[in-house]
Amino acid sequence: MSEKTLIQGINEGLRTALKERSDVVVLGEDVGKNGGVFRATEGLWEEFGDERVIDTPLAEAGIVGAAIGMAINGMRPVAEIQFMGFIYPAFEQIVTHAARLRTRTQGQHPASLVVRAPYGGGIRAPELHSDSTEALFVHTPGLKVVAPSTPSDAKGLLLSAIRDPDPVIYLEPMKIYRAFRQEVPEGWFEVPIGKARKVREGEDVTLIAWGTMVPVAERAAREASERGVSCEVLDLRSLCPLDEEAIVTSVKKTGRAVIIHEAPKNAGLGAELAARIHELAFLWMESPVKRVTGFDVPVPMFALEDDFRPSQKRIDRAIHKVMTF
Amino acid sequence: MSEKTLIQGINEGLRTALKERSDVVVLGEDVGKNGGVFRATEGLWEEFGDERVIDTPLAEAGIVGAAIGMAINGMRPVAEIQFMGFIYPAFEQIVTHAARLRTRTQGQHPASLVVRAPYGGGIRAPELHSDSTEALFVHTPGLKVVAPSTPSDAKGLLLSAIRDPDPVIYLEPMKIYRAFRQEVPEGWFEVPIGKARKVREGEDVTLIAWGTMVPVAERAAREASERGVSCEVLDLRSLCPLDEEAIVTSVKKTGRAVIIHEAPKNAGLGAELAARIHELAFLWMESPVKRVTGFDVPVPMFALEDDFRPSQKRIDRAIHKVMTF
Amino acid sequence: MDRVDRCYLKPGGQLTEEGRSRWEAVPEELKLDFYRWMVQVRSFDRRSVILQRQGRIGTYAPLEGQEAAQVGSALALSKEDWIFPSYREHGVAMIAGMPLMRILLYWMGRVEGNVPPEGVRVLPPYVPIATQLPQAMGAAWASKLKRERSVSVAYFGDGATSEGDFHEALNFAGVFQLPVIFFCQNNHYAISVPFSRQSAVPTVAERACAYNIRGIRVDGNDVLAVHSAMEEAVTRARKGDGATLIEAVTYRKGSHTTADDATRYRDPSEVEDWVREKDPISRMEALLKAEGLLSEEDVKKWEEQCKALVDRAVKEAEAAPAPSADHLFAHVFEELPPELNRQRAELSGEGGECV
Amino acid sequence: MDRVDRCYLKPGGQLTEEGRSRWEAVPEELKLDFYRWMVQVRSFDRRSVILQRQGRIGTYAPLEGQEAAQVGSALALSKEDWIFPSYREHGVAMIAGMPLMRILLYWMGRVEGNVPPEGVRVLPPYVPIATQLPQAMGAAWASKLKRERSVSVAYFGDGATSEGDFHEALNFAGVFQLPVIFFCQNNHYAISVPFSRQSAVPTVAERACAYNIRGIRVDGNDVLAVHSAMEEAVTRARKGDGATLIEAVTYRKGSHTTADDATRYRDPSEVEDWVREKDPISRMEALLKAEGLLSEEDVKKWEEQCKALVDRAVKEAEAAPAPSADHLFAHVFEELPPELNRQRAELSGEGGECV
Ligand SMILES: Cc1ncc(C[n+]2csc(CCOP(=O)(O)OP(=O)(O)O)c2C)c(N)n1
Ligand SMILES: Cc1ncc(C[n+]2csc(CCOP(=O)(O)OP(=O)(O)O)c2C)c(N)n1
Ligand SMILES: [Mg+2]
Ligand SMILES: [Mg+2]
């Protein structure tokens, strides 16, 4: 065990996979010599060489299309998309092919691959680098979607994703790449896909968040407790499939929920969560579920980003609302 | 006025726009000499010539990118994507640029354009021709999304979309292109974007549908009335923005809602509708909202399509459930 | 016929000089196979068009006129090679080992039609244009990384060359010197759009030079020339010399699909010319007869055998038990998550909580 | 320097023979403008890098080394022409009429930096690589359909040539003979990836032949040659002769952005060569001095004026009132739908029902 940041957890995960599975290749823009623009692949090219850690031309459909072809032909590719805002050129390859190939070939070609992409805002990056469009992938049957919020989960979920026979979109919360350190187990270690993490026990309200929003939710929960409101905090980790059991159990206990995500509200994942909570815990709800999300406007340039992303103040207000409905 | 099918309504709308606005051009694959693979553009190339009705190379990003550039430079392009299942190569141009350009240029370049695409199943077309991924566009701030279900709305919404200064995704229910005829007003005639249509008055349950699912919902409502359940049916028409007022008013009256869509359930538009109903009409709900949707599996090839798409039987069951909760 | 780099067998059935020496080098069984496969493919194709008209299959994409391009290329491949077809490569699929009955199932809208028997490396038809090119490139890349000798082939049409995916795939193939073959059947139209509206350069093959890969333009109705071009490309690829773009110049005699009406956009005299003068089968038949390798009786017999084969496939396909609705769920994920299990139960009428 | 089709002004500041005759044809004011703009651009650029280090602006994309490519090309355009830049074209934007202060606002993460003054036809920086190419093509198409004489220019880098959008845009431009110029600054790297890993052909310009448009490869550090190539392309486009792909061979002296560290992937001797030997400004300065058009005093004076200009821009940008959060909502749609009005109210703290 050693103390690592989230991005080091990812780096560790990639290194472990490359070491332990000869079918794994890492490919993408600047992942080789440069070690990734965020250094997620630092040192891997030097260690594993140009055939395992591959700098590709600047072409996302080419990268993901190649990864699918590699998977068909027996390899286990881990493709990097430099920022989630640049995943759209590969959208067709992901939603038309990666997601459906297993069904279409009745199991013959499961398209076992991972697509990694840093998502969300908060790093004063140039325009259009800050998308959080997980809902597009969650709405695509056949894909799994995960988003860690801790160094240890980052490594464990990545190794699960790599071993997982289904295509996994692995979203990295770049705002907290280096926010804090944590003990991360050595070697091959997995965090199961499909299981949420209970970050904090509470009685009055369930706060549901993932990725970059987890620390914000935690802070809100801490402050709420000072005001006498006890919040349970769930870190979903797995956005598809959802850990319905964890969600429903918690909400049945508290009777109230606040969902927090960075993506815009309209038809975001928060909508699905709210809908499911109502379907599955209707009689337990003391108040309507509240969603604290990015506004339904294009992700702004960074000067206004703090106004766009869910703030602690907005979460506080939502907690207040569900408590006083 | 004359009796027209839905696709003739579209054809009429395009003809009217080309006639009355010299800045309108129609572009896409096979829209010219061939008159469109569904004959939506029939006769237009002959009437308006090769510079107004343009057969393009087979390249969706090129088509939508060109349309954006044309809009920037003062034209009003109407781009056709041959099937919604083939819109993904243009996804980046739509979600990164068309949707955001107005905000990014603070109103200077509103990206006033229309992208038409036939959607949904039901025509025994080859594989991958039957997607209903409206939620992807609804989740993209800056886009409007509409889907008519009648010949008259088809024309009226299309002309609204063309006049609308914002980018509009216009989804055509190909299954009912020729299902029935209806009087369609002559000349320039608009159906406002953002307004639902009340198809049927009812007291007990609100059925919410759009496009291909409207006739199915209507049938279900008729049969339910024979069993003594009175259904109100709303045809949303405008998927973004939603006609919240119509939805909330109806649901507050009936206290129950069933949402019907062809797209998969998970993070589909039904989730947003259910979430909003709970947010805005929590105290009026007699039972949780039910969603009758495509399953969360890849759209199947046509032999199993009827098992995938919401059937009347499933709607009946849902009505029963919300009535007996 | 536009200018091509290679034509061995002229429309009348005479060999060119080069063609003659190639012909001599071809084993007799293969000579006959060229012919037999083309006839079988056509027999299947014509029957499928009828089946569609009778409402027994859905919309179908006929290939008549393109038999030489498909048969000539497919016969140059071996079992270990990967094939990434479009929706029109029934001929290629058959030769690779896809049972006719499954090909029919595909056009009946049944997923079983996507699945080849064990050991047959044919992917399902790629309907979204050009999307198979990057994947074929990736599969070839895997072969190269694994030091295996398989090559990958992407089949596509002239229209596909306009898509971004075409560019990205060929570019990677050039940069990484991949054992991939991009086989374009230029049948002159993408549905109604003629190639002149698809490209400002007159040939597909010349685009190869933008990627530093080999480009060759072959008479696509000359099965001998197609086969030799493909064989060369395969050899190059296996030797590690990288990718080839082959343009087989051909023509679809019929409509784009059974839902299309080609008379709306093609000049009858153009069609006439291709149908009458340039048919791929009749020229091979003429050559084989002239060479004394085929008699009129052989022709009749083979045509009947093909008919019987197709008959049997139709019967089998139509007798196949109706697909279980469970197919919807059977392979979405290796293991179904709880929510999908509920949906599956709902479908099967076993209740399930979620409507 | 790799082989180029056109070089007029050698790194040492001597004109080639062709260059001499071009030089003679250039008005004196323009000769000085070449120089003055390059200095101003560099002055702005260096200052911006410092501002980033001081935390006064966000991540910044420096262009030092690419001044000739930007200034030479931009000076060949007129007000009516449309410019679709990447994130590195501050030089182009300035010349087109974008106030320095707004360019700074952009790098402060402020949307006002996307908006040019009335009549300035510069689109916001295109960050997603190559997406501007189809749009420039479309804008050019509109000009052609409207029978207007404007041309459209897409600026992009060598890495952008690998994207599908590059292919689709050039292909449409060829097919429809559009008045568009694809101006590639080949600075040899896409972040860390060298052009040799981007393309199997050694030049960008040769790709033009796949689209039947004109391709020209010019010494991108030679402002005179760049300007003449651009002028030709503009003339061609206005005359209806269609598109041109210009490859300006250049080098970014610094890192990709202030968040990048180019020493990780570039050989110091390569950098040294470009920085010391091939600088675009010093060669023009040498020529102007040799021609007696510029004195050391002029140089000093101009450099100071530039510094003052930039100083003022920085002051203005930093004094600009903090952006109102309302900008988020002000222009999402022409008219805000009710749900967005509620969200707007929520943001402004005026309540609003939806949290
Ligand atoms: C991405 C995409 N866009 C559009 C279509 C609709 N479509 C189906 S076939 C076709 C024409 C293809 O032409 P070509 O590539 O020449 O192949 P051919 O059909 O002639 O064999 C089109 C436009 C599609 N299937 N996929
Ligand atoms: C579609 C997309 N993919 C990836 C990126 C990340 N990225 C930003 S700049 C860049 C390199 C661009 O290189 P080049 O086109 O040569 O332009 P240069 O920066 O050298 O001017 C990359 C990969 C992006 N902005 N957009
Ligand atoms: Mg074709
Ligand atoms: Mg570059």
Side-chain angles (χ1 to χ4, degrees):
Chain A
M1 302 271 278
S2 63
E3 293 256 316
K4 293 205 156 55
T5 61
L6 195 148
I7 193 148
Q8 286 168 337
I10 293 168
N11 183 267
E12 253 295 290
L14 292 171
R15 176 173 289 106
T16 305
L18 283 160
K19 216 180 283 177
E20 305 211 359
R21 289 187 65 140
S22 64
D23 55 355
V24 169
V25 289
V26 168
L27 71 165
E29 297 155 11
D30 305 289
V31 298
K33 199 167 186 181
N34 197 39
V37 294
F38 288 106
R39 308 288 171 253
T41 55
E42 172 122 53
L44 303 180
W45 180 78
E46 290 81 350
E47 186 171 345
F48 299 98
D50 212 43
E51 294 201 341
R52 310 274 321 275
V53 183
I54 310 172
D55 275 328
T56 65
L58 209 175
E60 288 76 10
I63 292 168
V64 175
I68 297 172
M70 287 175 169
I72 288 169
N73 194 0
M75 304 195 72
R76 195 58 67 112
V78 181
E80 175 177 310
I81 298 294
Q82 209 160 73
F83 288 85
M84 192 174 199
F86 311 137
I87 205 169
Y88 311 120
F91 201 69
E92 180 176 42
Q93 289 289 344
I94 296 172
V95 308
T96 302
H97 292 296
R100 310 189 207 206
L101 202 54
R102 178 191 278 275
T103 297
R104 293 180 60 230
T105 62
Q106 296 288 286
Q108 202 170 66
H109 295 297
S112 313
L113 56 87
V114 178
V115 178
R116 296 174 41 236
Y119 87 94
I123 64 156
R124 286 165 66 90
E127 220 190 344
L128 300 167
H129 278 73
S130 311
D131 277 15
S132 313
T133 45
E134 63 276 5
L136 308 182
F137 300 97
V138 171
H139 184 52
T140 302
L143 296 178
K144 293 179 175 169
V145 185
V146 301
S149 77
T150 67
S152 169
D153 282 354
K155 178 174 175 185
L157 277 174
L158 181 57
L159 286 169
S160 285
I162 291 172
R163 201 195 34 73
D164 197 289
D166 292 302
V168 181
I169 309 294
Y170 179 94
L171 300 176
E172 305 176 0
M174 58 180 157
K175 185 183 167 57
I176 54 174
Y177 264 157
R178 298 182 170 80
F180 61 98
R181 290 174 180 274
Q182 187 190 44
E183 293 287 315
V184 173
E186 305 286 339
W188 194 288
F189 132 80
E190 296 192 10
V191 168
I193 294 176
K195 293 276 164 248
R197 178 172 69 96
K198 193 182 282 181
V199 178
R200 182 188 175 104
E201 288 271 359
E203 300 302 322
D204 301 328
V205 190
T206 304
L207 306 187
I208 303 176
W210 57 89
T212 51
M213 288 294 115
V214 173
V216 187
E218 282 188 72
R219 266 198 307 280
R222 273 198 303 277
E223 296 205 4
S225 83
E226 288 164 23
R227 296 192 308 273
V229 178
S230 159
C231 294
E232 181 141 312
V233 179
L234 289 185
D235 171 2
L236 283 188
R237 299 197 292 201
S238 175
L239 312 186
C240 184
L242 287 171
D243 187 349
E244 252 184 30
E245 200 188 312
I247 297 165
V248 171
T249 307
S250 175
V251 172
K252 282 187 177 171
K253 175 174 71 177
T254 60
R256 301 178 189 87
V258 173
I259 298 158
I260 303 145
H261 64 62
E262 205 171 326
K265 185 179 194 176
N266 197 16
L269 184 51
E272 179 62 37
L273 290 163
R276 278 212 215 172
I277 289 171
H278 284 297
E279 277 162 19
L280 301 171
F282 187 71
L283 296 176
W284 284 261
M285 298 311 290
E286 311 266 355
S287 75
V289 175
K290 287 281 171 201
R291 295 180 274 165
V292 184
T293 69
F295 294 109
D296 287 318
V297 306
V299 183
M301 292 171 67
F302 69 77
L304 291 181
E305 220 176 48
D306 291 341
D307 295 301
F308 170 78
R309 305 170 79 231
S311 60
Q312 166 135 14
K313 189 169 120 215
R314 288 176 60 209
I315 300 174
D316 292 348
R317 263 200 270 165
I319 293 172
H320 181 72
K321 278 221 170 133
V322 295
M323 290 304 297
T324 57
F325 180 74
Chain B
M1 302 270 276
S2 63
E3 293 257 317
K4 291 204 159 53
T5 60
L6 195 149
I7 193 147
Q8 286 169 338
I10 293 168
N11 182 267
E12 253 296 290
L14 291 171
R15 176 173 290 106
T16 305
L18 283 160
K19 215 181 283 178
E20 303 209 0
R21 289 188 66 141
S22 64
D23 55 356
V24 168
V25 288
V26 168
L27 72 163
E29 297 155 11
D30 305 290
V31 299
K33 199 166 183 182
N34 196 37
V37 293
F38 288 107
R39 308 290 171 252
T41 54
E42 170 123 53
L44 303 180
W45 180 77
E46 290 82 349
E47 187 173 343
F48 299 98
D50 211 45
E51 294 201 342
R52 309 278 316 277
V53 182
I54 310 173
D55 275 328
T56 65
L58 208 175
E60 287 75 12
I63 292 167
V64 175
I68 297 171
M70 287 175 168
I72 288 169
N73 194 357
M75 304 195 71
R76 192 60 64 113
V78 182
E80 175 176 311
I81 299 293
Q82 210 161 72
F83 287 85
M84 192 174 197
F86 311 137
I87 204 167
Y88 311 121
F91 201 68
E92 181 177 39
Q93 289 290 342
I94 295 172
V95 307
T96 303
H97 292 296
R100 310 189 208 207
L101 202 54
R102 178 190 280 275
T103 297
R104 294 180 59 230
T105 62
Q106 296 289 286
Q108 202 172 65
H109 295 297
S112 313
L113 56 87
V114 178
V115 177
R116 296 176 38 238
Y119 87 95
I123 64 156
R124 287 165 64 87
E127 219 190 343
L128 300 167
H129 277 75
S130 311
D131 276 15
S132 312
T133 44
E134 64 275 5
L136 308 182
F137 300 97
V138 170
H139 185 52
T140 303
L143 296 179
K144 292 179 176 169
V145 184
V146 301
S149 77
T150 68
S152 169
D153 281 354
K155 177 173 175 183
L157 277 174
L158 181 57
L159 287 169
S160 284
I162 292 173
R163 200 193 36 71
D164 198 289
D166 292 304
V168 181
I169 309 293
Y170 179 93
L171 299 176
E172 305 177 359
M174 58 180 157
K175 186 182 166 56
I176 54 173
Y177 263 159
R178 297 181 170 84
F180 62 97
R181 290 173 181 273
Q182 187 191 44
E183 294 286 316
V184 173
E186 306 285 340
W188 194 287
F189 133 79
E190 296 191 9
V191 168
I193 294 176
K195 292 276 165 249
R197 179 172 69 94
K198 192 182 284 180
V199 178
R200 183 188 174 105
E201 287 271 359
E203 301 301 322
D204 301 326
V205 191
T206 304
L207 306 186
I208 303 176
W210 56 89
T212 52
M213 288 293 116
V214 173
V216 187
E218 281 188 71
R219 266 198 307 280
R222 272 198 306 274
E223 295 203 5
S225 84
E226 287 165 22
R227 296 192 308 273
V229 178
S230 160
C231 295
E232 181 141 312
V233 179
L234 290 184
D235 171 2
L236 282 188
R237 299 197 292 204
S238 174
L239 312 187
C240 185
L242 286 171
D243 188 348
E244 250 183 32
E245 199 190 311
I247 297 166
V248 171
T249 305
S250 176
V251 172
K252 282 189 175 169
K253 177 174 70 176
T254 60
R256 299 178 190 88
V258 174
I259 298 159
I260 303 144
H261 64 62
E262 207 171 325
K265 185 178 192 177
N266 197 17
L269 183 50
E272 178 61 37
L273 289 164
R276 277 213 216 172
I277 288 171
H278 284 295
E279 277 162 20
L280 301 171
F282 187 71
L283 295 176
W284 283 261
M285 298 313 290
E286 311 267 355
S287 76
V289 175
K290 286 283 170 199
R291 295 181 275 164
V292 183
T293 68
F295 294 109
D296 287 319
V297 305
V299 184
M301 291 173 67
F302 67 77
L304 292 181
E305 217 175 51
D306 290 342
D307 295 300
F308 171 78
R309 306 168 79 230
S311 61
Q312 169 138 7
K313 190 169 118 214
R314 289 175 60 208
I315 301 174
D316 291 347
R317 265 200 269 165
I319 293 173
H320 181 71
K321 280 223 171 129
V322 296
M323 289 304 297
T324 57
F325 180 75
Chain C
M1 166 75 59
D2 326 314
R3 200 192 57 73
V4 292
D5 300 324
R6 186 168 307 182
C7 169
Y8 288 161
L9 179 56
K10 289 188 275 186
Q14 311 84 3
L15 288 166
T16 61
E17 203 167 310
E18 273 180 311
R20 169 59 63 188
S21 68
R22 175 75 192 173
W23 182 249
E24 312 279 283
V26 168
E28 187 172 318
E29 209 42 38
L30 181 55
K31 289 174 181 166
L32 287 168
D33 271 353
F34 285 151
Y35 172 77
R36 287 188 295 227
W37 275 115
M38 287 198 291
V39 171
Q40 181 177 324
V41 171
R42 181 164 297 180
S43 174
F44 174 86
D45 187 64
R46 288 196 173 166
R47 182 62 175 277
S48 300
V49 172
I50 294 168
L51 290 172
Q52 190 282 330
R53 293 222 183 98
Q54 296 170 332
R56 292 158 75 185
I57 65 175
T59 302
Y60 172 77
L63 63 76
E64 183 162 338
Q66 303 184 201
E67 294 87 351
Q70 297 198 14
V71 169
S73 58
L75 285 175
L77 298 173
S78 35
K79 274 281 172 202
E80 72 208 313
D81 299 324
W82 290 95
I83 295 173
F84 292 77
S86 90
Y87 43 81
R88 207 184 291 286
E89 272 75 65
H90 330 311
V92 174
M94 276 176 223
I95 294 176
M98 191 74 179
L100 299 191
M101 178 265 206
R102 293 211 197 164
I103 303 178
L104 283 171
L105 285 178
Y106 180 84
W107 297 101
M108 292 173 165
R110 295 183 52 172
V111 71
E112 303 94 313
N114 268 334
V115 188
E118 184 71 30
V120 173
R121 292 183 158 184
V122 181
L123 274 288
Y126 281 71
V127 167
I129 302 296
T131 53
Q132 68 271 41
L133 279 73
Q135 295 181 32
M137 171 274 283
W141 202 349
S143 296
K144 178 169 176 161
L145 292 170
K146 295 192 289 176
R147 312 276 187 273
E148 290 172 357
R149 45 173 261 129
S150 352
V151 310
S152 297
V153 186
Y155 281 90
F156 54 98
D158 43 301
T161 63
S162 298
E163 288 279 8
D165 275 1
F166 168 86
H167 175 71
E168 299 189 14
L170 271 71
N171 192 45
F172 276 62
V175 169
F176 296 101
Q177 288 234 5
L178 303 179
V180 55
I181 297 166
F182 300 105
F183 191 92
C184 178
Q185 288 167 78
N186 181 349
N187 63 8
H188 293 77
Y189 289 88
I191 308 186
S192 72
V193 180
F195 189 60
S196 57
R197 169 78 37 127
Q198 208 67 247
S199 161
V201 292
T203 79
V204 170
E206 68 196 275
R207 291 208 160 149
C209 66
Y211 310 103
N212 195 21
I213 67 176
R214 185 152 179 264
I216 174 163
R217 185 168 211 250
V218 62
D219 180 345
N221 284 6
D222 169 357
V223 66
L224 188 63
V226 170
H227 180 262
S228 97
M230 191 69 167
E231 208 172 65
E232 267 179 48
V234 169
T235 306
R236 265 176 69 85
R238 291 211 212 284
K239 277 205 326 222
D241 292 342
T244 302
L245 168 62
I246 297 178
E247 175 185 11
V249 182
T250 182
Y251 202 79
R252 66 167 150 79
K253 289 188 181 177
S255 289
H256 170 72
T257 64
T258 50
D260 175 49
D261 172 8
T263 63
R264 294 175 70 96
Y265 52 80
R266 293 197 308 197
D267 188 338
S269 74
E270 175 189 289
V271 181
E272 193 59 15
D273 182 45
W274 281 92
V275 171
R276 283 275 160 87
E277 307 300 330
K278 296 180 187 155
D279 188 73
I281 299 187
S282 58
R283 69 174 87 168
M284 182 46 88
E285 188 180 318
L287 173 64
L288 288 171
K289 283 180 176 166
E291 299 275 312
L293 295 171
L294 190 76
S295 68
E296 193 50 37
E297 197 185 334
D298 296 335
V299 170
K300 286 272 147 347
K301 225 165 71 195
W302 182 243
E303 281 174 353
E304 266 156 41
Q305 264 179 268
C306 290
K307 203 182 152 303
L309 272 175
V310 175
D311 278 345
R312 203 178 66 212
V314 175
K315 274 210 197 81
E316 283 170 12
E318 292 191 332
S324 141
D326 201 55
H327 264 163
L328 285 179
F329 290 92
H331 296 286
V332 181
F333 294 108
E334 182 162 272
E335 214 178 300
L336 274 196
E339 159 78 358
L340 273 178
N341 264 323
R342 262 202 333 263
Q343 294 189 8
R344 186 182 206 164
E346 186 199 342
L347 174 66
S348 67
E350 295 160 24
E353 233 328 283
C354 69
V355 168
Chain D
M1 164 75 61
D2 326 313
R3 200 193 56 74
V4 294
D5 300 325
R6 188 168 304 180
C7 168
Y8 289 161
L9 179 57
K10 290 188 274 187
Q14 312 83 0
L15 288 167
T16 61
E17 203 168 309
E18 272 181 313
R20 169 58 63 190
S21 70
R22 174 76 192 176
W23 182 250
E24 312 278 276
V26 168
E28 186 171 319
E29 207 43 37
L30 181 57
K31 290 175 179 163
L32 288 168
D33 271 353
F34 285 151
Y35 171 78
R36 289 189 294 226
W37 275 114
M38 288 197 292
V39 172
Q40 182 176 321
V41 170
R42 181 164 295 181
S43 173
F44 174 86
D45 186 65
R46 290 194 169 169
R47 182 61 174 277
S48 298
V49 172
I50 293 166
L51 290 172
Q52 190 281 332
R53 296 223 180 95
Q54 297 170 332
R56 292 159 74 184
I57 64 175
T59 302
Y60 172 77
L63 62 76
E64 182 161 339
Q66 304 184 199
E67 294 87 351
Q70 297 198 14
V71 169
S73 58
L75 285 175
L77 297 172
S78 34
K79 273 280 171 204
E80 71 209 311
D81 300 324
W82 290 95
I83 294 171
F84 291 77
S86 89
Y87 43 80
R88 207 183 293 285
E89 270 75 64
H90 332 310
V92 174
M94 277 176 220
I95 294 176
M98 191 74 179
L100 298 191
M101 177 264 205
R102 294 211 196 166
I103 303 178
L104 284 171
L105 285 178
Y106 180 85
W107 297 100
M108 291 172 166
R110 295 184 51 171
V111 70
E112 304 94 311
N114 269 333
V115 188
E118 183 73 29
V120 173
R121 291 183 158 183
V122 181
L123 274 289
Y126 280 71
V127 168
I129 301 296
T131 54
Q132 68 273 38
L133 277 72
Q135 295 181 31
M137 172 274 283
W141 204 349
S143 296
K144 178 168 176 162
L145 292 170
K146 296 192 288 178
R147 313 272 186 278
E148 289 172 357
R149 43 175 262 127
S150 350
V151 309
S152 297
V153 186
Y155 281 90
F156 54 98
D158 43 303
T161 64
S162 298
E163 288 279 7
D165 275 1
F166 169 86
H167 176 69
E168 298 190 14
L170 271 71
N171 191 44
F172 276 63
V175 169
F176 296 102
Q177 289 233 2
L178 303 179
V180 56
I181 298 166
F182 300 105
F183 191 92
C184 178
Q185 287 168 80
N186 181 349
N187 62 10
H188 293 76
Y189 289 88
I191 309 186
S192 72
V193 180
F195 188 60
S196 57
R197 170 74 41 126
Q198 209 66 247
S199 162
V201 292
T203 77
V204 170
E206 67 196 276
R207 292 210 156 147
C209 66
Y211 310 102
N212 195 23
I213 66 177
R214 186 154 179 263
I216 176 165
R217 185 167 212 251
V218 63
D219 179 343
N221 284 5
D222 168 358
V223 66
L224 188 63
V226 170
H227 181 261
S228 98
M230 190 69 167
E231 206 172 66
E232 268 178 46
V234 169
T235 306
R236 264 177 70 83
R238 292 211 212 284
K239 275 205 329 219
D241 293 341
T244 303
L245 168 62
I246 298 177
E247 175 185 10
V249 182
T250 182
Y251 201 81
R252 63 170 153 78
K253 290 188 180 176
S255 289
H256 170 72
T257 64
T258 49
D260 175 50
D261 172 10
T263 63
R264 295 175 68 96
Y265 52 80
R266 294 196 311 196
D267 186 340
S269 74
E270 174 190 290
V271 181
E272 193 60 16
D273 181 46
W274 282 93
V275 171
R276 282 275 161 86
E277 306 299 330
K278 297 179 185 160
D279 188 73
I281 298 185
S282 58
R283 69 174 88 170
M284 181 45 90
E285 188 180 317
L287 174 65
L288 288 171
K289 283 180 175 163
E291 299 276 310
L293 295 171
L294 190 77
S295 67
E296 194 50 41
E297 194 184 336
D298 295 334
V299 170
K300 286 271 150 340
K301 224 165 72 194
W302 183 243
E303 281 173 353
E304 265 156 43
Q305 262 179 269
C306 289
K307 203 182 153 307
L309 270 175
V310 175
D311 278 344
R312 202 178 65 210
V314 175
K315 275 213 195 79
E316 282 170 9
E318 292 191 329
S324 143
D326 201 55
H327 264 164
L328 285 179
F329 290 93
H331 296 285
V332 183
F333 294 108
E334 182 161 273
E335 217 178 297
L336 273 198
E339 159 77 359
L340 273 177
N341 264 323
R342 261 199 336 259
Q343 294 188 9
R344 186 182 205 162
E346 186 198 343
L347 174 67
S348 67
E350 292 161 23
E353 233 329 282
C354 66
V355 166

